Amino acid sequence: MATPLPEQRHMLTLVPPPASTPVFKDEERPARAESVRTVAEHTNRIASLILLPHTFRGYRQLGRRWIDRYHDHYPQLIADADQAVRDAAGNIGQAAQFKKVADGYRIEYRQHRKAFTTKTAAVSGAVAGGVGFGAVTGSLWIDLLAGLSAWGIGAFHGRDRKQDDAEELPQDPAAPRDPVQIRGEADLVTALIKAGIITEAQREETHVVGIIQPAGPGWTATIELPRGMKASAATTRAEELASSMRVKKSQIEMRADTSEDGHEGQVVLWVANEANPYGTKPVPSPLLTADRLDFWKYGVPLGTDARGGRHVLELVWCSILLGGLPDYGKSFLARLVAAAAALDPYMTVHVATGKAGPDWAATKQFAHSYVAGNTPAKILAFLDLLNELIADMQGIGERLEQLSEEHPERCPEGKITPELAQEWKRGLTLLVVDELQELLDAAAMMKIKTDDDPESKDRGRNGKEVLVETMARFVRVSRYAGGMGLFITQRPDATSVPTMLRDVCRKRASFRVKGASSSRMVLGDDAVAAGAAPHMLLDSQKGVVVLDQGGEEGHVTLRTDFMTIPEFREICLRGRQLRIVSGTLTGFAAEYGKTGLAASTHKELLADCLSALDGDGVDRARTKRLLELLIACRPDRYQGLGEPDLQARLRDAGAGVTRKLGPLDGMANPNGYTREQLTEALKK
């Protein structure tokens, strides 16, 4: 039985209970005490939760970054290169190549560590010196500043705890990966499968030769395809590969590996980081500042590729066909070739264009022949020009034939050499044919009599056929005689790019076209099969050309240098002056200067004479000196004019004959013209 609890009773005490709330004389003291406690709590919280943790975390991140920059990924690069050497076992050439890459990385790593350590030591020494100075001098302000700086740097770099925690979290290996981003060989092979280049069953037979490595503004990889698969079959699906990798088609460059270590089942892939790796800013041509150029030795400075490398067009011993849609840069490239030829005073240039306009008008200053238009008379004139060039090239061939019998050592390759050209007082020959489609369309509506059947009673052969055959014949006979052709068309189809002419042009270039069939029309089936793809260029990539170089070097895509029509005209005037000095201004250009002078009015001549005197700061000049001043001011009008011609024209303009000028140019009293004399004639 439970024991009953004793009954609770009230306890008695003689001490009164304490009051529930103490009584103070100053009623504001509770509020102040509460404020002090609040500030103290916040201060402790800041010190414990913000200051020290952020500072420690900041210096930990700085240390981690220092280690990363000290290594700069070199250990990984060296390990990948060493692995590539091991994978290339049995292939001495590739193993030696990758060994060279690995050794290069090691040398760069040593240099990087030395430079980085030196920089770190310099910064650390400066900081230690400042702190030591403050400690020695006992300056409170310096110590305080150093402490605050040390705290501030650490707190600043450690301020984002979430980001730091995220960096510390290990990546989940089971997390899904982006299938588009190429992280290694497996991803690249997967992209090839998605593009339909290889099948899933061929995955194990496909691998990257060496390593995937950066190359300019992008990355590159050499891929060995499954046995029995040709590189040409893979390069035709570059557009599908771009789709599988989720990049623009213009970012992909894919070609057969024609290097010494390559073979028919190996391709080289380059992928740009940006949609337009060629940029949009025009690059001025170096020809703008060149005084002259040796076409034999230097060729044509052409432009830069996506990796920033400069390229030169070697045109000696071959001709080039240039096509593409209008307004994408064909005329700019053609002007680069003509400008380079203009700056070689020993080079003979002939120009024919199917449409009159400003594009080629400047070449009148130095071109030996100039034909513009597509009327029947112009077509016949162009045909006559071709026949004259063929006869000239055959004449050189006959001289080479005779020389090879008498002195074969002087032409070991059966070609004209720079030494022979100088001895025979002739240089290279360039034929520029623009608006080819206009010439062919006009010729197609004509009948032309040919020498093969001069007695025939019919109206002749189709003019287009005759023109195409004659141009192709020129290319064939001129190759070893120093002749070359540049043929430009705006409509790359079967009618404007005849196969007969395209096949004899060793080099071919194409700007943007609409489809693969148009690419094949200009570049040929082999080039397109090897990866040349002007149809994959973007609309924004004006000035970007795909150049098939006609040899083992394959094709290259590059942005051509820029040259405006006024700049081109200045180069043509420079080329005219070079030919006048060298005595090589002939044909149309020589007559064009005289025709231009005869066409100018008397008042223009007198005004030009006065401007020339004013520009030289004189009021009189001998005839010879006045002619020099006129040529310097207006070479397009007065180049090639003689002193007797100038005197005759001034006499016809009303200036009369020369007068005595008094002491001038070291002479007692030479003859010439005064400003007063010319001014009076101008007022008449």
Side-chain angles (χ1 to χ4, degrees):
M1 185 173 179
T3 305
L5 294 175
E7 184 180 355
Q8 290 185 342
R9 298 182 180 180
H10 295 286
M11 297 182 65
L12 299 176
T13 176
L14 299 176
V15 180
S20 60
T21 302
V23 179
F24 296 96
K25 294 182 179 180
D26 189 354
E27 297 181 355
E28 296 181 0
R29 289 179 62 186
R32 292 180 180 179
E34 184 65 25
S35 299
V36 171
R37 284 194 299 270
T38 302
V39 172
E41 291 175 358
H42 281 293
T43 303
N44 292 333
R45 187 178 298 112
I46 291 174
S48 61
L49 299 180
I50 298 179
L51 300 184
L52 294 180
H54 276 75
T55 303
F56 293 151
R57 186 165 56 249
Y59 280 105
R60 184 176 59 196
Q61 291 185 11
L62 287 174
R64 184 187 307 157
R65 293 173 189 173
W66 186 92
I67 294 175
D68 290 342
R69 293 174 183 175
Y70 177 78
H71 294 298
D72 198 18
H73 305 290
Y74 277 106
Q76 180 63 41
L77 293 173
I78 295 172
D80 291 342
D82 289 340
Q83 182 62 43
V85 175
R86 289 189 289 271
D87 293 341
N91 190 328
I92 299 177
Q94 287 187 353
Q97 179 181 359
F98 295 134
K99 177 65 165 56
K100 185 177 181 180
V101 173
D103 293 341
Y105 283 148
R106 288 187 173 91
I107 294 174
E108 293 178 6
Y109 188 25
R110 286 195 295 268
Q111 295 175 347
H112 170 75
R113 285 184 299 179
K114 182 178 179 181
F116 195 78
T117 302
T118 302
K119 186 186 299 184
T120 303
V123 174
S124 301
V127 174
V131 175
F133 176 78
V136 172
T137 58
S139 174
L140 176 61
W141 290 108
I142 295 180
D143 292 340
L144 181 60
L145 180 61
L148 290 175
S149 300
W151 167 82
I153 292 174
F156 177 80
H157 288 280
R159 66 192 183 281
D160 191 353
R161 183 174 182 178
K162 293 182 180 180
Q163 180 179 355
D164 182 60
D165 293 341
E167 292 178 356
E168 293 179 354
L169 289 175
Q171 294 184 354
D172 183 6
R177 298 171 61 190
D178 182 4
V180 177
Q181 186 175 356
I182 304 300
R183 297 181 176 87
E185 180 175 339
D187 291 339
L188 181 55
V189 174
T190 300
L192 295 175
I193 296 173
K194 295 289 186 182
I197 297 176
I198 62 174
T199 64
E200 182 65 42
Q202 295 173 315
R203 177 185 287 272
E204 297 301 325
E205 297 183 67
T206 308
H207 64 88
V208 174
V209 179
I211 57 176
I212 301 176
Q213 54 187 328
W219 56 269
T220 185
T222 301
I223 306 168
E224 189 169 58
L225 300 170
R227 291 183 181 274
M229 183 176 183
K230 296 186 296 184
S232 57
T235 55
T236 58
R237 301 191 66 84
E239 191 168 0
E240 288 80 0
L241 180 59
S243 176
S244 70
M245 297 174 64
R246 292 295 187 264
V247 297
K248 295 284 188 181
K249 58 185 180 180
S250 60
Q251 293 177 245
I252 295 286
E253 284 188 9
M254 195 175 185
R255 69 182 70 197
D257 186 1
T258 57
S259 64
E260 185 176 347
D261 298 324
H263 55 76
E264 296 301 322
Q266 201 159 284
V267 296
V268 177
L269 173 68
W270 184 78
V271 181
N273 295 331
E274 299 179 0
N276 187 4
Y278 306 96
T280 57
K281 185 178 181 180
V283 179
S285 171
L287 294 173
L288 299 176
T289 56
D291 295 330
R292 61 186 297 162
L293 181 137
D294 187 343
F295 206 94
W296 287 92
K297 185 182 299 184
Y298 298 107
V300 183
L302 202 58
T304 55
D305 58 26
R307 301 159 184 79
R310 292 288 306 175
H311 287 262
V312 174
L313 175 62
E314 299 289 348
L315 204 55
V316 181
W317 317 128
C318 60
S319 295
I320 182 172
L321 175 67
L322 174 60
L325 294 173
D327 300 325
Y328 279 89
K330 296 184 305 299
S331 297
F332 290 101
L333 190 152
R335 279 200 289 266
L336 293 174
V337 177
L343 294 176
D344 187 337
Y346 299 101
M347 194 165 183
T348 304
V349 180
H350 306 267
V351 178
T353 173
K355 183 171 63 178
D359 285 348
W360 296 101
T363 60
K364 297 177 182 179
Q365 300 292 339
F366 70 93
H368 182 85
S369 304
Y370 185 85
V371 179
N374 57 10
T375 63
K378 297 293 185 180
I379 297 298
L380 293 176
F382 177 45
L383 187 61
D384 291 340
L385 169 61
L386 288 172
N387 289 324
E388 291 175 4
L389 289 174
I390 291 173
D392 181 47
M393 296 294 103
Q394 288 180 330
I396 296 298
E398 293 173 358
R399 297 184 69 174
L400 288 172
E401 180 182 358
Q402 181 180 358
L403 184 64
S404 65
E405 294 177 351
E406 299 173 355
H407 304 284
E409 71 280 357
R410 300 193 61 191
C411 52
E413 298 181 3
K415 303 176 182 178
I416 189 172
T417 63
E419 294 75 19
L420 289 176
Q422 184 177 7
E423 178 182 337
W424 295 347
K425 298 188 184 310
R426 64 168 301 131
L428 298 169
T429 300
L430 172 66
L431 170 64
V432 179
V433 182
D434 195 10
E435 303 291 349
L436 179 62
Q437 75 284 349
E438 298 294 335
L439 293 171
L440 296 180
D441 288 347
M445 296 184 290
M446 299 173 56
K447 294 290 186 179
I448 298 178
K449 284 280 190 177
T450 57
D451 294 338
D452 55 357
D453 191 10
E455 302 300 329
S456 176
K457 295 182 180 181
D458 61 15
R459 297 176 57 191
R461 297 179 56 198
N462 180 275
K464 178 179 178 180
E465 296 178 359
V466 175
L467 207 58
V468 171
E469 292 176 2
T470 309
M471 286 188 290
R473 187 180 174 208
F474 162 75
V475 174
R476 290 194 299 267
V477 302
S478 65
R479 179 180 177 186
Y480 296 100
M484 63 203 80
L486 168 61
F487 304 95
I488 311 147
T489 179
Q490 286 193 1
R491 198 176 62 229
D493 53 32
T495 59
S496 63
V497 186
T499 304
M500 178 182 293
L501 178 60
R502 184 196 66 196
D503 289 347
V504 295
C505 292
R506 180 183 174 187
K507 294 182 183 290
R508 302 155 193 172
S510 178
F511 288 81
R512 183 174 182 264
V513 292
K514 290 185 177 180
S517 60
S518 296
S519 296
R520 287 189 288 269
M521 286 293 176
V522 180
L523 301 179
D525 295 339
D526 294 339
V528 175
H535 56 283
M536 292 175 61
L537 296 174
L538 302 177
D539 183 68
S540 60
Q541 291 178 318
K542 294 185 177 182
V544 178
V545 65
V546 179
L547 171 65
D548 179 32
Q549 305 181 80
E552 292 185 357
E553 60 268 38
H555 68 276
V556 62
T557 304
L558 50 90
R559 171 174 288 279
T560 57
D561 295 333
F562 186 74
M563 179 186 298
T564 63
I565 291 180
E567 291 170 338
F568 178 58
R569 185 176 184 277
E570 289 299 322
I571 291 180
C572 291
L573 291 173
R574 203 181 313 159
R576 179 184 181 89
Q577 181 62 30
L578 288 171
R579 284 164 174 77
I580 291 175
V581 174
S582 303
T584 56
L585 186 70
T586 58
F588 178 89
E591 295 299 323
Y592 175 74
K594 295 178 182 179
T595 303
L597 285 172
S600 62
T601 65
H602 294 160
K603 290 188 178 297
E604 285 178 343
L605 173 62
L606 294 170
D608 289 341
C609 290
L610 291 172
S611 298
L613 292 177
D614 293 341
D616 197 43
V618 297
D619 61 353
R620 52 184 176 159
R622 293 184 296 122
T623 306
K624 179 180 180 180
R625 177 58 180 164
L626 180 59
L627 181 58
E628 292 175 351
L629 295 175
L630 286 172
I631 293 175
C633 294
R634 296 301 302 267
D636 55 328
R637 291 184 181 177
Y638 304 105
Q639 199 72 261
L641 187 68
E643 293 182 43
D645 297 329
L646 178 59
Q647 291 177 351
R649 295 198 62 232
L650 285 174
R651 186 169 56 251
D652 295 340
V657 298
T658 58
R659 300 178 182 179
K660 294 294 182 181
L661 302 178
L664 184 66
D665 296 340
M667 300 181 182
N669 196 16
N671 291 330
Y673 297 89
T674 64
R675 194 183 195 287
E676 180 183 3
Q677 175 185 2
L678 298 171
T679 303
E680 291 176 356
L682 186 61
K683 292 179 180 179
K684 295 179 181 179

